[in-house]
Amino acid sequence: IAGITQAPTSQILAAGRRMTLRCTQDMRHNAMYWYRQDLGLGLRLIHYSNTAGTTGKGEVPDGYSVSRANTDDFPLTLASAVPSQTSVYFCASSRGVDTGELFFGEGSRLTVL
Amino acid sequence: RKEVEQDPGPFNVPEGATVAFNCTYSNSASQSFFWYRQDCRKEPKLLMSVYSSGNEDGRFTAQLNRASQYISLLIRDSKLSDSATYLCVVNIRAGTALIFGKGTTLSVSS
């Protein structure tokens, strides 16, 4: 049983480098999300996608981009990483954007030096 | 004012205690409400939905007060395994993603 798979699980990155966090789900869920979690700030929504081919901005979208070419994949790209993007990134999916049960991946821990 | 606010705690209670967490939300038009649980260094998982009439799942009871714009989670007979961070989650507007509170940390000790 896979559910949601994120890669890499951990990465150290030099500032200014480009980085793509991968997220794949096998549940045929319509909606997918990227959150970042920082100590004292909780989970904050970066970008989301209601269905394949559409994306939307969350609370903290600056410095990040996403694409949703198909149902299963929802990669998150940092075009030029900065130290403030050091965080734990969680990808999640749900049957629809209005349903309450999100299924999360195990997270990607990113450190930008 | 933040859209979803929780007391961060930590709440330190002995086994068998009853503990309650509250969460307030700012948008009176919010559609739906949930409690998630997150164990240390793990991903969040849905604990229970919160219905207008209140709902119970074993030792856990969730309540919604729309007039005062808060939801609550009551845990009875606390177990060591209840130690975790509890996240209040709100759907602010239809068609938008869920907004998470910062979480309340519970530590149950023997």
Side-chain angles (χ1 to χ4, degrees):
Chain A
I1 299 173
I4 290 219
T5 303
Q6 290 184 233
T9 55
S10 181
Q11 181 76 46
I12 299 174
L13 186 67
R17 298 297 294 268
R18 180 184 180 89
M19 177 74 195
T20 295
L21 303 180
R22 300 184 298 280
C23 177
T24 299
Q25 54 107 354
D26 63 2
M27 297 176 282
R28 307 303 293 172
H29 283 170
N30 287 317
M32 296 188 75
Y33 316 83
W34 275 105
Y35 290 87
R36 60 177 288 176
Q37 187 171 37
D38 304 286
L39 193 64
L41 297 176
L43 276 160
R44 293 180 293 169
L45 181 66
I46 304 171
H47 285 286
Y48 66 96
S49 169
N50 290 349
T51 189
T54 68
T55 62
K57 294 182 179 180
E59 302 168 79
V60 289
D62 295 342
Y64 304 95
S65 63
V66 292
S67 62
R68 187 91 184 276
N70 57 61
T71 296
D72 298 343
D73 302 301
F74 191 45
L76 177 73
T77 297
L78 290 67
S80 180
V82 295
S84 61
Q85 292 177 311
T86 294
S87 188
V88 179
Y89 292 85
F90 285 102
C91 180
S93 73
S94 63
R95 286 194 306 276
V97 72
D98 289 331
T99 58
E101 185 163 18
L102 269 58
F103 294 83
F104 283 84
E106 294 184 345
S108 295
R109 184 173 297 273
L110 183 66
T111 302
V112 183
L113 301 176
Chain B
R1 183 182 174 185
K2 299 287 186 184
E3 296 200 70
V4 180
E5 293 199 68
Q6 295 182 248
D7 181 344
F11 285 67
N12 299 304
V13 303
E15 277 186 289
T18 295
V19 61
F21 310 135
N22 285 334
C23 165
T24 58
Y25 58 95
S26 60
N27 190 328
S28 60
S30 295
Q31 302 282 320
S32 47
F33 312 87
F34 311 90
W35 284 101
Y36 274 66
R37 169 191 170 129
Q38 185 174 23
D39 294 305
C40 188
R41 302 178 76 85
K42 296 285 191 179
E43 71 274 20
K45 294 184 179 178
L46 178 65
L47 177 66
M48 58 197 303
S49 302
V50 186
Y51 303 121
S52 297
S53 55
N55 49 299
E56 188 174 308
D57 183 1
R59 297 181 293 109
F60 298 83
T61 300
Q63 297 272 352
L64 167 64
N65 185 317
R66 283 193 181 272
S68 300
Q69 295 181 210
Y70 78 83
I71 67 172
S72 64
L73 177 68
L74 181 77
I75 305 176
R76 292 181 300 277
D77 189 23
S78 298
K79 311 291 185 190
L80 294 174
S81 57
D82 293 334
S83 297
T85 296
Y86 291 84
L87 305 169
C88 171
V89 185
V90 177
N91 185 312
I92 300 294
R93 289 176 296 280
T96 63
L98 300 179
I99 301 297
F100 284 73
K102 295 180 182 180
T104 297
T105 300
L106 172 66
S107 178
V108 182
S109 56
S110 58

